[in-house]
Amino acid sequence: MPDLKRIVILGAGYAGVEAAKVLGKKFKKDDSVEITLINDNPFQTLLTELHEIAGRRTEKESVMVDLYKVFKAIILGGMPTQSRFADQYKPDTLLI
C-alpha cells in the first residue's frame, strides 16, 4: 500500500468547503488520500446573510449550513466519517 497522503483544510468558509468538495470528489476512490476539514463548528456560517439576523428578518439557524449534509454524498462514497474539530488542534506540536 502506498504512503498515506494527508490533506488538511483549515476553516469551513466558502473556500474551505469548496476545496474539500472538489478534493473529496477527485480522490473519492483513492484510499491513499485522507482529507480533513477542520472548523470550530460543525456548520458553515453564511456571512453574506448576517445582516438578515441583525435586522431581525430571520433566525440565526437560517444562515447556518450543516457540514454533515454538505459532505453526505462524499462521506458515503468512501471518505472517513470521523469528525475532527479545531479544539483537537494543538498548534505547539502541529498535531491534529
Side-chain angles (χ1 to χ4, degrees):
M1 180 174 163
D3 290 335
L4 182 65
K5 296 176 189 94
R6 293 188 170 119
I7 299 170
V8 178
I9 301 166
L10 299 176
Y14 295 111
V17 168
E18 183 65 17
K21 287 170 61 176
V22 169
L23 291 170
K25 288 177 184 174
K26 179 174 180 152
F27 296 111
K28 190 173 190 175
K29 296 180 181 180
D30 188 344
D31 291 336
S32 68
V33 177
E34 175 186 272
I35 301 168
T36 303
L37 174 64
I38 298 177
N39 198 45
D40 56 351
N41 297 301
F43 56 85
Q44 177 191 41
T45 302
L46 301 175
L47 297 178
T48 58
E49 300 300 318
L50 290 177
H51 67 281
E52 296 290 341
I53 296 171
R56 297 185 182 195
R57 290 185 288 273
T58 189
E59 298 296 319
K60 68 177 183 176
E61 291 79 17
S62 69
V63 300
M64 297 166 51
V65 178
D66 185 348
L67 293 174
Y68 295 107
K69 290 181 181 177
V70 171
F71 295 106
K72 183 178 178 182
I74 296 172
I75 290 170
L76 292 177
M79 279 183 62
T81 57
Q82 179 183 3
S83 300
R84 296 185 185 190
F85 296 100
D87 63 347
Q88 297 172 340
Y89 173 62
K90 300 178 182 8
D92 296 338
T93 61
L94 298 177
L95 295 175
I96 298 171

